[in-house]
Amino acid sequence: MKKIFKLIISVFLFVFLTGLTQIGGVLYLACLFISKKWKPLPRFNMPIIFAVLYFGFTFLVIPFVAPIFGREKVKHTDTINPTNYFTVLLNRNYVSPELNSLLLETEAKLKGTGIKINYLDANFPFINGFPLPPHLSHSDGRKLDLSLVFETEKGVISPKQKSMSGYGVFEEPISGEENQIDKCLNNGYFQYDYSKYLSFGIINKDLIFSEKGTKKLINALLDNNKLQKLFVEPHLKQRIKLKDDRGRYHGCRAVRHDDHIHIQIK
């Protein structure tokens, strides 16, 4: 019974770490092998071995191997940065060179506006078609989530966000706007607002949604012919008067997009 329990735990950890980081499951198996072969190590050796292997691979190996698979890390600049660094630590910050190029070109268009490009989940470093849970896509290096733009009560653009993760704090529909959220939830798509459980804490409560800032960010993205699609919730599309056909609705099978913007290239 004890062996079966250990096996179940091992399978769970393998699946969980693989879904979270792509490489974590394989490195966990490597840890099991090393801990059995290297007898002099103390009982708490597993976490130490895993940490050394994981961070070693994450920062010293993967960035040099990923280009073989057509991926590279999102390039950080004064304007382009992760909303939270867990995206980087979990290897969810890889994109195609073309998507990096789009971000850099968008940065140039936003020069002088004070608007930052804060990115969320991108893709894993290896293998087209390998899923990035909990996303339905994000499996080919061509997709990336971006944070909305916020401002202070005085209308000053802020680089800050309203949740620890960047997800899960929604800009709700106001009177007169289309309410797609209620339509999806009332039709049984219970997962539609599940990202509210992934905020990991609300912060900067004084910030408000910047209609002008988000519109400038979206227009700068749409100015680029590399952009194929941009997903945003219908009421925000209505609010910022988005007319470009590439600004689309993602459907009830996904999650609501009034806490972030999803972009993808051709």
Side-chain angles (χ1 to χ4, degrees):
M1 189 67 181
K2 189 175 181 181
K3 289 184 177 180
I4 294 176
F5 179 74
K6 284 185 176 180
L7 178 61
I8 293 172
I9 294 297
S10 294
V11 170
F12 169 78
L13 287 173
F14 174 80
V15 172
F16 174 75
L17 291 170
T18 300
L20 189 65
T21 69
Q22 191 176 48
I23 66 167
V26 173
L27 295 181
Y28 170 68
L29 294 181
C31 284
L32 289 177
F33 177 79
I34 292 171
S35 65
K36 287 182 179 180
K37 295 295 182 180
W38 203 348
K39 295 298 183 182
L41 289 175
R43 293 178 61 86
F44 56 83
N45 59 358
M46 277 288 287
I48 296 174
I49 296 172
F50 181 81
V52 171
L53 284 177
Y54 182 81
F55 290 113
F57 269 80
T58 294
F59 294 109
L60 301 176
V61 178
I62 292 177
F64 301 99
V65 178
I68 298 173
F69 295 83
R71 313 275 176 91
E72 60 187 25
K73 293 193 295 184
V74 175
K75 294 178 180 176
H76 295 172
T77 68
D78 290 340
T79 299
I80 304 168
N81 281 289
T83 299
N84 70 82
Y85 275 90
F86 280 105
T87 302
V88 175
L89 293 175
L90 299 178
N91 293 302
R92 291 169 168 250
N93 62 322
Y94 283 82
V95 295
S96 68
E98 293 78 13
L99 186 43
N100 250 335
S101 175
L102 180 145
L103 291 175
L104 292 171
E105 290 166 15
T106 302
E107 176 187 40
K109 292 181 180 294
L110 292 172
K111 187 175 181 179
T113 64
I115 296 171
K116 302 293 185 182
I117 302 174
N118 296 316
Y119 73 87
L120 298 161
D121 279 351
N123 309 261
F124 282 138
F126 309 127
I127 309 172
N128 282 344
F130 194 101
L132 184 94
H135 302 275
L136 297 179
S137 56
H138 290 251
S139 61
D140 57 8
R142 296 168 50 241
K143 281 89 173 181
L144 177 67
D145 286 348
L146 301 177
S147 293
L148 302 176
V149 181
F150 293 92
E151 61 186 39
T152 67
E153 294 176 350
K154 294 182 178 180
V156 179
I157 296 293
S158 173
K160 298 178 181 178
Q161 294 296 303
K162 298 193 71 172
S163 77
M164 293 293 291
S165 69
Y167 292 106
V169 176
F170 307 116
E171 177 58 26
E172 302 283 353
I174 58 178
S175 178
E177 292 182 341
E178 182 178 357
N179 192 333
Q180 186 63 45
I181 296 98
D182 283 352
K183 291 179 184 178
C184 289
L185 293 175
N186 292 336
N187 280 293
Y189 294 94
F190 62 89
Q191 90 297 333
Y192 197 66
D193 67 348
Y194 89 103
S195 48
K196 64 188 177 185
Y197 302 113
L198 300 177
S199 71
F200 303 126
I202 299 174
I203 54 176
N204 303 315
K205 296 180 181 180
D206 57 321
L207 293 180
I208 57 177
F209 172 71
S210 177
E211 181 179 329
K212 63 179 181 181
T214 301
K215 184 173 184 176
K216 285 180 180 179
L217 171 60
I218 288 177
N219 284 338
L221 291 163
L222 290 169
D223 276 346
N224 198 308
N225 290 329
K226 295 186 184 75
L227 189 74
Q228 181 185 39
K229 296 177 184 178
L230 183 150
F231 293 153
V232 66
E233 202 66 34
H235 67 272
L236 293 185
K237 181 177 179 179
Q238 181 181 350
R239 193 180 306 179
I240 65 176
K241 299 178 176 60
L242 176 57
K243 303 297 184 182
D244 195 300
D245 290 339
R246 289 173 293 169
R248 303 181 186 180
Y249 175 56
H250 43 280
C252 286
R253 290 183 61 249
V255 296
R256 57 192 288 184
H257 281 61
D258 53 352
D259 61 342
H260 71 283
I261 302 163
H262 168 100
I263 63 171
Q264 62 186 69
I265 61 171
K266 298 175 182 178

